[in-house]
Amino acid sequence: MDWQSLVNSSAALLVGAFLLDLAVGDPRWLPHPVVLMGKVVSSGERWLRSSDARRDFFAGMALSLLLVTLSATLAWMMVALFTLLPPWLSFGATAAMASTTLATRGLLDAVKHIEAPLRAGDLAVAREQLSHIVGRETAGLNQDKVLRASLESLSESTCDGIVAPLFYLFLGGVPLAMAYKAVSTLDSMIGYRSDRYFYFGKFAARLDDALNYIPARLTALFIVIATPALGLNPARALSVTRRDHGNHLSPNAGYAEAALAGALGIRLGGPSVYFGKEVWKPYMGDDLKPVEIEMLKEGRVLCLLTAMLSLATFALLALARG
């Protein structure tokens, strides 16, 4: 493979998108596809959701299919337009667009923004920062629960925001990755088992489950492989993953969460409040040690190593395919 072919390969796109996201993240001044997707979902909910279960299910299905199709089609059109540019500019524009499907920098920064006030003793600010990345209510959480919720969200988002988008970038380029991002956005907004979204968001939630089936298991595997780099116990991480992954309400989220709990030697899960109602989540992991602030740093490093392992895996597979 010559240099020009390498630059134009999907492996180069994966690496370029990952490095751009890690270096720049998602600047607030730059319009982001997920923000636009969120506006479509909000508008669709206002227009389509009713109090009729059957109607809500089909309306939610229609909204989901519309957003996924629109996202993939627009991404395909943009990539096609980029090919009209000079090669290096075309690659840069495509990589920049691909980087918007990733959330490595954003996830690491979000956990840092929780960790900093906790170290400063400001629990109120930590709760407020946590509320940006979880769906549960955070106002009444003590420090222990803030830490556990942060680690749970970090583990789940490592799959949703990093491994899964890289997986779909590898499989189908920017259009497929953008379609996945649309499904993930739908699930985060309407994929709840609450009275409001039980039927309206059911199709989106099941679609998200299907698309995360492989990435979730890969994420757990990469977490286990990464644990020795931090002096943690990979055998325990693997054992807890195999034992407890099914304890989560989601068929996928339990894999990464159980792997992280096993790696750190802690227990995650338990009661949480969503939309004013307490939801009991079965425990994952063993309560071998108390959760400490330092574990947020360990969790971030595990997340980054997991991201790098997934990037290397998919880039090498892309080179082999090419």
Side-chain angles (χ1 to χ4, degrees):
M1 179 182 290
D2 58 36
W3 177 249
Q4 188 64 41
S5 298
L6 179 62
V7 170
N8 292 329
S9 68
S10 56
L13 177 63
L14 285 164
V15 174
F18 181 84
L19 293 178
L20 270 175
D21 174 62
L22 194 61
V24 181
D26 301 316
R28 293 186 178 181
W29 55 268
L30 189 65
H32 197 282
V34 171
V35 175
L36 299 178
M37 292 174 188
K39 290 181 179 180
V40 173
V41 176
S42 296
S43 297
E45 181 186 351
R46 286 197 301 270
W47 282 96
L48 298 174
R49 191 175 63 83
S50 66
S51 57
D52 180 84
R54 180 181 175 84
R55 177 181 172 183
D56 277 354
F57 175 78
F58 286 105
M61 178 190 295
L63 175 62
S64 299
L65 293 175
L66 173 64
L67 181 62
V68 171
T69 303
L70 188 62
S71 300
T73 302
L74 289 176
W76 179 84
M77 292 173 63
M78 292 297 294
V79 172
L81 286 174
F82 292 156
T83 61
L84 302 177
L85 300 172
W88 283 98
L89 190 56
S90 174
F91 172 79
T94 306
M97 188 173 184
S99 73
T100 65
T101 68
L102 302 171
T104 311
R105 174 68 178 270
L107 179 57
L108 296 177
D109 285 349
V111 177
K112 282 183 182 179
H113 293 156
I114 298 168
E115 180 183 347
L118 285 178
R119 291 189 183 278
D122 196 336
L123 182 58
V125 172
R127 288 169 177 162
E128 196 275 331
Q129 292 294 330
L130 175 64
S131 69
H132 297 318
I133 63 171
V134 299
R136 73 191 71 185
E137 297 178 14
T138 63
L141 300 183
N142 59 24
Q143 178 170 303
D144 180 78
K145 291 185 177 181
V146 167
L147 288 169
R148 293 178 194 272
S150 300
L151 291 169
E152 289 174 15
S153 181
L154 175 64
S155 62
E156 293 180 31
S157 297
T158 298
C159 175
D160 300 346
I162 305 173
V163 178
L166 284 172
F167 176 71
Y168 287 107
L169 272 174
F170 159 68
L171 284 184
V174 180
L176 189 57
M178 202 63 74
Y180 169 79
K181 207 65 179 177
V183 174
S184 183
T185 301
L186 282 158
D187 182 65
S188 67
M189 294 183 69
I190 64 174
Y192 294 100
R193 302 185 183 186
S194 63
D195 293 339
R196 177 173 179 171
Y197 294 123
F198 187 83
Y199 293 103
F200 188 70
K202 183 182 286 290
F203 181 83
R206 298 292 80 78
L207 187 57
D208 183 78
D209 289 342
L211 291 185
N212 276 311
Y213 183 87
I214 295 175
R217 288 148 181 80
L218 288 175
T219 302
L221 175 62
F222 291 142
I223 290 175
V224 171
I225 294 173
T227 53
L230 277 75
L232 301 174
N233 190 330
R236 186 176 63 205
L238 179 60
S239 174
V240 171
T241 302
R242 296 174 67 178
R243 186 192 70 194
D244 293 348
H245 72 268
N247 289 352
H248 202 283
L249 295 175
S250 163
N252 297 314
Y255 279 89
E257 196 169 316
L260 184 66
L264 296 175
I266 60 174
R267 188 173 68 177
L268 299 175
S272 298
V273 178
Y274 294 84
F275 304 105
K277 294 184 178 180
E278 184 176 82
V279 176
W280 178 264
K281 296 181 178 181
Y283 287 115
M284 282 179 284
D286 301 308
D287 203 9
L288 302 178
K289 59 180 77 171
V291 183
E292 301 173 345
I293 297 176
E294 189 64 24
M295 288 182 179
L296 293 184
K297 182 178 179 180
E298 291 180 313
R300 291 201 316 273
V301 175
L302 268 179
C303 169
L304 182 58
L305 290 174
T306 298
M308 294 171 68
L309 283 169
S310 62
L311 173 66
T313 299
F314 300 138
L316 288 172
L317 288 173
L319 284 174
R321 178 181 61 188

